[in-house]
Amino acid sequence: MKKIILIFSIIFSIFISAQTATEIIDKNIENSGGLTNWKLLNTVQIQGRVTLGVNDEYPIKIYQQRPNLSKTAMVVGGKETPVEGYDGKNGYAMNYAQNKLQQYNDYIPENFDNDFIDWENKGFEAKFLGKEKINDQLYFKVELTKNVNKTIYYFDVRTYMLFREIKKDEILTYSDYKKVGQLLMPYRIESSSPKKDSDYVMTINKIEVNKELPKNTFKF
């Protein structure tokens, strides 16, 4: 009898955990603009500055288009110099040792949508890990798992906005959310890694959505 009760307790706790994770993700999507508005998003243009280290600061522009087209460019002397992107077939990234853009046939592009949108259909499993305090602020902690890849997300317990994303080799911290059309987007993104060799802070000045991009935008 005790074994049966224990089994039902485990099943019940797993069910509650999954439901809680789902509710947190759904609330984040709802509070940041709603599922319909996120799915209607087709293009994004970002202008801002990236700070590397203490004093190295560069103007940047980022272009993204559904389903997975992307380009990140440094702006030097008013001229855009691509440093990374995906044209639909191949990926590109700056080889700083040779100071030139290099093509990568095995480049894996990021999804245009974040992992929260239709996460179940994408093959993710969600698990609620409880609450955690960071700098006196309390956050919901949710883990998304797909195959062997795990990512931990921290959501503000009051607003449900995403605060932090912990990947295998990078930690991203989001803040300064502002409304862009019907959506809420972060205007400050901090990245840190164990090796500290690629840390940066991105301060965004302007975000434009659903503007038609020139056909050569993703030509490298």
Side-chain angles (χ1 to χ4, degrees):
M1 185 67 179
K2 289 183 178 180
K3 288 184 178 180
I4 294 175
I5 294 174
L6 178 61
I7 291 171
F8 273 101
S9 297
I10 293 172
I11 293 173
F12 182 72
S13 65
I14 292 173
F15 175 75
I16 291 297
S17 176
Q19 284 295 106
T20 305
T22 299
E23 289 169 2
I24 292 169
I25 292 172
D26 287 348
K27 198 69 175 176
N28 167 265
I29 294 173
E30 177 187 343
N31 287 7
S32 62
L35 184 60
T36 298
N37 287 319
W38 280 110
K39 287 191 173 184
L40 288 174
L41 184 65
N42 288 304
T43 66
V44 179
Q45 297 181 66
I46 297 173
Q47 297 181 40
R49 305 186 73 84
V50 168
T51 303
L52 307 173
V54 179
N55 298 317
D56 292 336
E57 188 175 84
Y58 305 93
I60 66 162
K61 286 188 177 181
I62 299 173
Y63 303 90
Q64 297 174 325
Q65 181 172 303
R66 193 177 293 278
N68 53 15
L69 302 178
S70 66
K71 182 172 77 175
T72 299
M74 295 289 188
V75 183
V76 181
K79 183 181 179 181
E80 296 182 21
T81 301
V83 294
E84 188 173 6
Y86 183 73
D87 65 5
K89 293 182 179 180
N90 300 305
Y92 299 83
M94 179 63 72
N95 185 327
Y96 290 99
Q98 300 179 15
N99 195 31
K100 69 176 184 179
L101 198 66
Q102 185 171 329
Q103 179 178 310
Y104 294 89
N105 298 328
D106 58 348
Y107 186 93
I108 301 175
E110 293 187 3
N111 290 322
F112 182 82
D113 291 320
N114 64 45
D115 290 340
F116 308 146
I117 306 299
D118 292 333
W119 60 272
E120 291 173 294
N121 293 332
K122 293 175 182 174
F124 286 98
E125 293 182 3
K127 184 178 181 181
F128 176 55
L129 301 180
K131 298 178 183 178
E132 185 172 324
K133 185 174 285 188
I134 301 175
N135 298 329
D136 296 325
Q137 175 62 46
L138 204 58
Y139 297 93
F140 293 119
K141 191 175 178 181
V142 173
E143 180 184 79
L144 282 187
T145 305
K146 186 175 182 181
N147 301 323
V148 297
N149 299 314
K150 294 183 179 182
T151 304
I152 296 175
Y153 299 91
Y154 291 83
F155 299 90
D156 190 301
V157 296
R158 296 167 301 176
T159 66
Y160 289 86
M161 289 297 98
L162 178 63
F163 167 69
R164 182 164 290 170
E165 177 179 354
I166 300 180
K167 303 179 180 181
K168 181 181 179 181
D169 53 3
E170 184 182 27
I171 298 175
L172 294 166
T173 302
Y174 304 93
S175 60
D176 192 20
Y177 279 86
K178 297 178 183 179
K179 201 160 189 180
V180 182
Q182 299 300 315
L183 303 171
L184 276 176
M185 295 184 175
Y187 272 64
R188 182 181 173 87
I189 302 173
E190 299 179 44
S191 171
S192 62
S193 60
K195 294 183 179 180
K196 300 295 180 182
D197 57 350
S198 59
D199 292 4
Y200 67 83
V201 176
M202 183 189 304
T203 305
I204 297 170
N205 302 322
K206 185 178 182 180
I207 301 178
E208 297 176 279
V209 297
N210 288 337
K211 290 189 68 176
E212 186 174 352
L213 300 176
K215 292 182 180 180
N216 64 349
T217 298
F218 302 100
K219 185 178 180 179
F220 292 87

